Amino acid sequence: MDAVNLLGFDLQGLAAYCEQLGEKKFRATQLFRWIHQKGASDFEQMSDLAKSLREKLKGRAHIAALSVISEHVSTDGTIKWLFDVGAGNAVEAVFIPEDDRGTLCISSQAGCAVGCRFCSTGHQGFSRNLTTAEITAQLWFAEHNLRKRLNTDERVISNVVMMGMGEPLQNYDQLVPSLKTMLDDHAYGLSRRRVTVSTSGVVPMIDRLREDCPVALAVSLHAPTDPLRDQLVPLNKKYPIAELLDACNRYLEKAPRDFITFEYCMLQEVNDTPELAQALVKLLKGRVSCKINLIPFNPFPASGLTRSTNARVQAFAEVLIQAGIVTTVRKTRGDDIDAACGQLAGEVQDRTRAHIRMVRAPVTVAKSTP
Ligand code: SAH
Ligand code: SF4
């Protein structure tokens, strides 16, 4: 029997597992703290854990990290790790240090099935969902690796954004226990406001997340009209804008923040005209409490798209701001190491297209801060 990876459990899951082993539930809390707060991976280290439990765990379970294929450190301090998830697939996580916080951008899938036109992950196709253990392992590794290199016992990562490879709400069942671990005071203790799920708009799953684990929500909008959004985000054909906005409003009833962040990737002469900015105002104003985050497009050749000029981005932002909508333009980070959330190009064996496709987009990428 394969060893169980304990990174795959939230506290409730670990308690159930301990019970299965004939152990008291509170042992799970001790074990959980050793794993996530101390970064332990060896049961022998867990000195206050009953010896009998340690013995039981040894044969049956392990704390298995992902193996790191590469690490790149940008001159601005951004760090990008490429992790091996087996069978030729790799996913990326990016750490973005700022004065007042440390943000980790995490992947939820190897590839992505949504296939947005401007996204290099989307162009690679879909390989598979990551498991809870693989999602949590990105945070576990990054947090404890950073503590070691900074020589500190203090928490380094204060924010997590699900903006790496993949559509998190198309991997819902594996995502939720990982989110719960991020929030758990016995693990990373992150505030709900500081954990963000970014989605291209999987409406039924937005509703489920509201009930199961409401965290901050970012919605990748990219267009104010259905015909245009249909072209950019194919999922729009299934869940058009009006339904998506209704789901956003339902989400706000339980959300930890009183606004939804709408992401809007700025594509030259595609979705960046002043008329479309007006249409966006008309769509959103008085309808959903929101902020808009304009993301300069990170080009890659296969997209056939170009980044809006700064002047066009500014003009677009101006229309929104004049209308009273809080708008930010994402600044770029990690330029020199090709580290952009949502634009990460790990290696994916694309099974949706039944042949092995490309892999590392030769992109000039900028990493952005959510
Ligand atoms: N699948 C989720 C989360 C991952 S993508 C989603 O789509 O929201 C994270 C963000 O990066 C999204 O807003 C996405 O639209 C954006 N993004 C994807 N490709 C990009 C590119 N080439 N340039 C800039 N932003 C991009
Ligand atoms: Fe998938 Fe998000 Fe990329 Fe769209 S933007 S293809 S949903 S990862």
Side-chain angles (χ1 to χ4, degrees), residues 109-120:
Q109 299 179 312
C112 182
V114 178
C116 299
R117 258 189 69 195
F118 50 84
C119 174
S120 95

Side-chain angles (χ1 to χ4, degrees), residues 57-322:
L57 288 170
K58 264 192 227 161
R60 300 177 172 90
H62 61 168
I63 294 142
L66 295 170
S67 51
V68 179
I69 297 171
S70 64
E71 176 188 283
H72 294 280
V73 183
S74 159
T75 48
D76 68 15
T78 299
I79 305 176
K80 182 177 77 171
W81 291 283
L82 184 66
F83 297 105
D84 185 0
V85 290
N89 292 316
V91 297
E92 284 170 315
V94 180
F95 174 68
I96 308 121
E98 287 175 281
D99 292 343
D100 58 343
R101 61 185 158 181
T103 302
L104 188 71
C105 174
I106 290 185
S107 296
S108 57
Q109 299 179 312
C112 182
V114 178
C116 299
R117 258 189 69 195
F118 50 84
C119 174
S120 95
T121 304
H123 275 249
Q124 291 172 43
F126 176 66
S127 186
R128 71 167 173 87
N129 281 327
L130 297 188
T131 61
T132 300
E134 289 166 331
I135 299 170
T136 301
Q138 297 169 62
L139 174 59
W140 184 80
F141 169 84
E143 174 65 33
H144 297 291
N145 176 281
L146 290 164
R147 280 190 206 177
K148 268 187 217 119
R149 54 215 277 175
L150 299 171
N151 197 16
T152 176
D153 293 330
E154 305 278 307
R155 188 171 75 184
V156 181
I157 294 166
S158 59
N159 295 56
V160 169
V161 295
M162 298 302 307
M163 293 186 186
M165 297 170 73
E167 169 47 57
L169 295 187
Q170 286 189 340
N171 186 14
Y172 187 83
D173 293 343
Q174 299 297 318
L175 172 73
V176 169
S178 190
L179 294 177
K180 289 192 169 158
T181 301
M182 294 171 197
L183 301 176
D184 201 306
D185 284 337
H186 296 295
Y188 302 92
L190 299 181
S191 127
R192 284 182 189 280
R193 304 156 60 89
R194 290 169 173 265
V195 174
T196 302
V197 168
S198 176
T199 179
S200 54
V202 191
V203 165
M205 296 301 151
I206 293 176
D207 286 327
R208 283 187 62 189
L209 191 67
R210 177 196 59 198
E211 297 306 319
D212 297 340
C213 194
V215 292
L217 187 69
V219 170
S220 296
L221 193 58
H222 308 307
T225 65
D226 283 320
L228 182 58
R229 193 164 189 269
D230 284 349
Q231 285 176 38
L232 297 175
V233 184
L235 194 67
N236 194 66
K237 293 181 196 132
K238 198 159 177 198
Y239 305 115
I241 293 173
E243 284 180 33
L244 180 56
L245 298 186
D246 288 346
C248 288
N249 275 325
R250 292 193 294 275
Y251 194 83
L252 282 170
E253 290 163 17
K254 299 211 175 150
R257 290 183 182 270
D258 58 4
F259 60 89
I260 302 285
T261 303
F262 288 114
E263 294 164 280
Y264 197 103
C265 181
M266 297 296 287
L267 304 163
Q268 176 93 357
E269 277 161 30
V270 173
N271 65 355
D272 68 345
T273 62
E275 293 73 32
L276 287 170
Q278 290 294 358
L280 193 58
V281 169
K282 220 169 143 218
L283 178 72
L284 296 177
K285 204 149 181 228
R287 173 103 182 258
V288 189
S289 163
C290 65
K291 291 188 181 174
I292 295 182
N293 197 205
L294 301 178
I295 314 173
F297 170 58
N298 298 302
F300 57 102
S303 71
L305 299 162
T306 42
R307 177 191 289 194
S308 302
T309 59
N310 286 346
R312 288 176 80 96
V313 175
Q314 284 312 323
F316 195 92
E318 206 45 48
V319 173
L320 303 176
I321 291 164
Q322 286 298 328

